[in-house]
Amino acid sequence: MYQLPKALPDELLLSRLIRFITISGISSSEFLQTCFGSNRISLHPFLTSGLSSIAKVCNEDTDLLLNEQTLTPLFCFFLPVHARNLQKMIVTNNGARAFRSSQLVSFESGQSLGLKSCPLCVEHDLLKYGISYWHVSHQIPGVDTCGYHGAGLSFLKLTQRQRLIKWLLPQPETDIRYSPLIEYKVANFSTQLLSLLASRQHLNQITEVYRHYLKENDYLTPNGRVRRKAVMQEFSKYIKNHSQTNPAIVPRTQQDYRYVSQLLDAGGSHHPYRHLLFGTWLLGEASQVFSNLPEANFSNMKNTPEIVNNISNKCLKFLKAGKSLAHTSRETGKSRCYLKRIALLNGISLNLKPKTLTQQVIDAICTLAYSGFHRREIARRCGVGIGSVEQTISSHSGLVERRKQCHFQSARRKNRFVILKYLGSHPESIRNDVKQQCSSAFYWLYLNDRAWLEEKLPIACKPKGRY
Ligand SMILES: [Zn+2]
C-alpha cells in the first residue's frame, strides 16, 4: 500500500504521482508494476485511466480521483453520448479506449500531448506550498491562458511514452505574457465550470442551457428556431481579439452558422473549447449552467422523449398525491386539458368541482361512440361539450380505431351507392361518363375499393385511333 502526497488545490492526479515517485524513492516502473501488474503502462496526463487500481493501491477514493483530479467530468458534460463509456474506461485500466472515447483525436485540434503551467501559479505555489505542481484547470484542451492570472500558459511537450518521470514538475519562469481579455474570460469560465462540475451532479443538459439563455436574450424565434445570423454577429464581435485561428475550436467566419447549430445538437460531439468559448459569451458565469431552468420555457421547443417523460411523470406524481388541477398546472406548466387526459389514461380519478363527466355520462359517451355516432350528436345527447366527448373517446383504447373503421365503411357504402344509382339511371353510359358525373365517389373508390369499382363499371371501350 502506498501513501500519495495530499492533493494540493486544483492538482492533477499525474502531478501527485510524480511528486510521490520524486519523494518516496520508489521508481515509476515499480509503482506501475504494483498498481497495474505491468511497468509498460503509459499514463495520460489529464485523462489518466486505471483509477480503481490506483485508488486501491494508494487507499484513495476512485470517484474523488475521477471528479477532482482528471478532466473526465468536463468531457462527460460536453459529450453526454460518450460519457458512460469514458467513465468506465477511465475507472478500469483502459487508457487507449478512454482517449478514443474523449473524441479528442477526431476534433483535429492539432495540438500534441503535453502539460501546461502558468508562471505566476508556479511562483505562487512555490511560495505557499514549497513545491510547484500541475493544475487540472490548466490542462483543458484549447485553453492556453491561466484562469486565475490571465497569463499565457507554458507548454511542456511530452515526448516520452512514459509520463511518470521524477521531478517532472513545472519550472519557474520570468517571461510572463498576458493573453487577450477574451481568452482570459474563457479560461476563467472554464476554471469555474471545472470546480462546479467536480463538486456536484449536473442536472441540466448543455443544449438545454443554451436554448434557455438564447431565448432569454431574444435569439429564438417564437417557433423556437435560433436566429443564427444575429447570434453569429454578436458572438463574432465578442471573440474578434481571440488569437486562435484553429477552425476546430473557433468559427471560420461570421457566416459559419454551422458552428452554432452543431453546438445546439444534443447528440453532437465537439471540441470542449467550442462549448467553453460559446458558453462564456452566452452565459458569462459558469454557475449559470447549474441554475434551475423553468420547464415552461421549453414548451415551444422540440422536446426530447426524455424531457416529455420527465414532465408527464412529474404531473402524475402531483395528481396521484391528490393535488388540484390548478396546482399541478402551476407547478408543471402543463394545461388542464393535458392533465385531464393523462389522468384518464392512467386511471386517476380527478377531484373536480363541476362533476358533469360522471362515470354514467362517460359510459353513455362510449356506447354512442362505439355505435358510430357523430361527436356533435353525442355531445348534444349527453349534455357535455364536444371537447369532453373527444377526450373521452381518445382515452379509451380501441375506440378510435373502431370509429375509423366505421367511418371508412360508411364512406364506402355512400360512394358505392352514388355509383350504383348513376349506373341504374344511365344504363347506356360509358366509364368516362361515370368518372365525370360522380368524380368524387369515383376517385374515392378508385383509391380505396378498386376491385369493386372495376367490377361494377361498364366494360372499357376499345380506344379508337384518329381518322
Ligand atoms: Zn496562474
Side-chain angles (χ1 to χ4, degrees):
M1 187 81 83
Y2 295 138
Q3 177 70 53
L4 296 186
K6 217 172 136 229
L8 294 169
D10 190 32
E11 189 177 9
L12 198 67
L13 176 62
L14 184 71
S15 171
R16 287 180 73 199
L17 298 177
I18 291 172
R19 287 205 288 135
F20 173 70
I21 60 158
T22 306
I23 53 177
S24 67
I26 292 166
S27 70
S28 60
S29 38
E30 199 182 334
F31 176 81
L32 293 171
Q33 186 71 40
T34 318
C35 266
F36 305 108
S38 158
N39 57 9
R40 293 185 48 76
I41 297 287
S42 167
L43 295 176
H44 192 277
F46 53 80
L47 289 171
T48 317
S49 84
L51 295 187
S52 63
S53 309
I54 297 176
K56 204 170 144 197
V57 172
C58 304
N59 195 22
E60 296 268 336
D61 179 51
T62 313
D63 284 342
L64 196 122
L65 296 184
L66 181 117
N67 287 322
E68 296 186 5
Q69 296 168 31
T70 68
L71 283 181
T72 319
L74 187 84
F75 279 90
C76 288
F77 184 57
F78 289 132
L79 300 168
V81 179
H82 302 279
R84 193 171 292 173
N85 196 32
L86 176 62
Q87 274 188 357
K88 204 169 117 193
M89 296 305 155
I90 290 283
V91 171
T92 57
N93 181 25
N94 225 324
R97 283 201 189 163
F99 189 61
R100 269 207 295 281
S101 295
S102 78
Q103 309 293 310
L104 260 185
V105 190
S106 61
F107 299 144
E108 295 169 357
S109 55
Q111 201 168 42
S112 46
L113 199 60
L115 283 162
K116 292 182 277 185
S117 63
C118 157
L120 290 170
C121 284
V122 170
E123 194 184 313
H124 168 267
D125 297 338
L126 280 170
L127 282 174
K128 189 162 183 187
Y129 306 108
I131 193 156
S132 59
Y133 60 93
W134 302 108
H135 286 249
V136 187
S137 63
H138 291 158
Q139 314 309 324
I140 300 172
V143 175
D144 294 323
T145 304
C146 173
Y148 306 105
H149 300 107
L153 299 178
S154 313
F155 185 75
L156 174 75
K157 196 171 167 185
L158 293 170
T159 46
Q160 292 183 42
R161 194 172 166 276
Q162 185 48 262
R163 287 104 192 205
L164 195 54
I165 304 164
K166 256 182 204 175
W167 288 112
L168 185 72
L169 293 170
Q171 298 303 308
E173 278 175 66
T174 46
D175 179 24
I176 294 157
R177 293 162 292 108
Y178 284 94
S179 302
L181 183 63
I182 166 69
E183 287 173 45
Y184 168 58
K185 282 184 178 171
V186 180
N188 189 261
F189 179 89
S190 316
T191 309
Q192 275 180 34
L193 181 68
L194 205 60
S195 69
L196 290 168
L197 283 174
S199 60
R200 66 177 102 187
Q201 279 290 322
H202 49 270
L203 294 165
N204 300 325
Q205 267 196 8
I206 188 67
T207 43
E208 280 174 31
V209 178
Y210 288 154
R211 283 196 164 270
H212 174 76
Y213 287 100
L214 283 172
K215 189 174 183 189
E216 278 216 329
N217 292 307
D218 202 25
Y219 287 121
L220 287 192
T221 65
N223 294 330
R225 287 186 171 276
V226 181
R227 299 184 208 273
R228 296 191 302 176
K229 206 170 165 184
V231 169
M232 280 310 289
Q233 202 175 356
E234 286 305 308
F235 180 52
S236 300
K237 221 188 279 171
Y238 185 77
I239 62 166
K240 71 173 187 297
N241 290 329
H242 202 292
S243 60
Q244 261 285 2
T245 47
N246 184 351
I249 59 178
V250 294
R252 287 163 216 268
T253 59
Q254 196 180 313
Q255 281 74 38
D256 190 358
Y257 300 128
R258 280 181 64 206
Y259 191 91
V260 176
S261 318
Q262 287 175 341
L263 288 180
L264 288 163
D265 174 15
S269 300
H270 308 291
H271 196 292
Y273 192 83
R274 276 193 180 204
H275 284 286
L276 295 169
L277 186 63
F278 190 68
T280 307
W281 169 71
L282 187 63
L283 314 175
E285 293 278 325
S287 55
Q288 303 283 47
V289 173
F290 300 92
S291 56
N292 286 329
L293 308 179
E295 278 149 332
N297 280 342
F298 298 107
S299 55
N300 284 340
M301 294 153 205
K302 250 201 249 165
N303 283 337
T304 63
E306 271 170 37
I307 299 172
V308 173
N309 240 343
N310 276 347
I311 298 175
S312 71
N313 281 343
K314 203 171 164 188
C315 295
L316 281 175
K317 213 164 83 186
F318 277 115
L319 294 173
K320 276 183 186 156
K323 300 282 181 209
S324 71
L325 276 187
H327 177 84
T328 315
S329 172
R330 261 200 310 277
E331 291 292 322
T332 59
K334 302 304 284 183
S335 67
R336 287 170 66 90
C337 194
Y338 172 86
L339 295 174
K340 277 188 203 170
R341 189 179 131 72
I342 64 161
L344 271 173
L345 280 173
N346 290 280
I348 301 169
S349 60
L350 290 173
N351 200 13
L352 296 170
K353 277 278 155 62
K355 287 190 171 179
T356 326
L357 264 184
T358 55
Q359 196 54 44
Q360 214 179 350
V361 176
I362 290 175
D363 290 346
I365 292 174
C366 289
T367 316
L368 289 169
Y370 191 81
S371 316
F373 278 84
H374 194 277
R375 303 188 299 276
R376 201 178 300 121
E377 182 58 20
I378 303 176
R380 194 187 64 78
R381 289 196 188 192
C382 298
V384 291
I386 204 160
S388 308
V389 175
E390 282 167 356
Q391 207 172 67
T392 312
I393 291 174
S394 63
S395 58
H396 277 76
S397 63
L399 200 49
V400 175
E401 288 70 29
R402 152 103 195 157
R403 285 173 64 79
K404 269 188 189 163
Q405 215 175 3
C406 289
H407 187 78
F408 174 81
Q409 285 176 0
S410 159
R412 189 169 64 179
R413 279 196 300 274
K414 187 185 86 185
N415 291 319
R416 279 183 178 185
F417 174 72
V418 171
I419 301 283
L420 288 176
K421 192 177 164 199
Y422 181 81
L423 287 173
S425 54
H426 302 82
E428 301 298 317
S429 59
I430 57 166
R431 278 176 174 242
N432 209 18
D433 298 335
V434 183
K435 193 154 96 183
Q436 275 174 4
Q437 295 307 312
C438 325
S439 67
S440 145
F442 180 92
Y443 282 110
W444 192 94
L445 290 165
Y446 185 78
L447 290 173
N448 297 294
D449 194 13
R450 200 177 297 181
W452 181 90
L453 187 68
E454 290 293 343
E455 194 191 311
K456 296 294 168 193
L457 284 180
I459 298 157
C461 310
K462 275 199 178 154
K464 290 173 192 158
R466 289 180 185 216
Y467 296 107

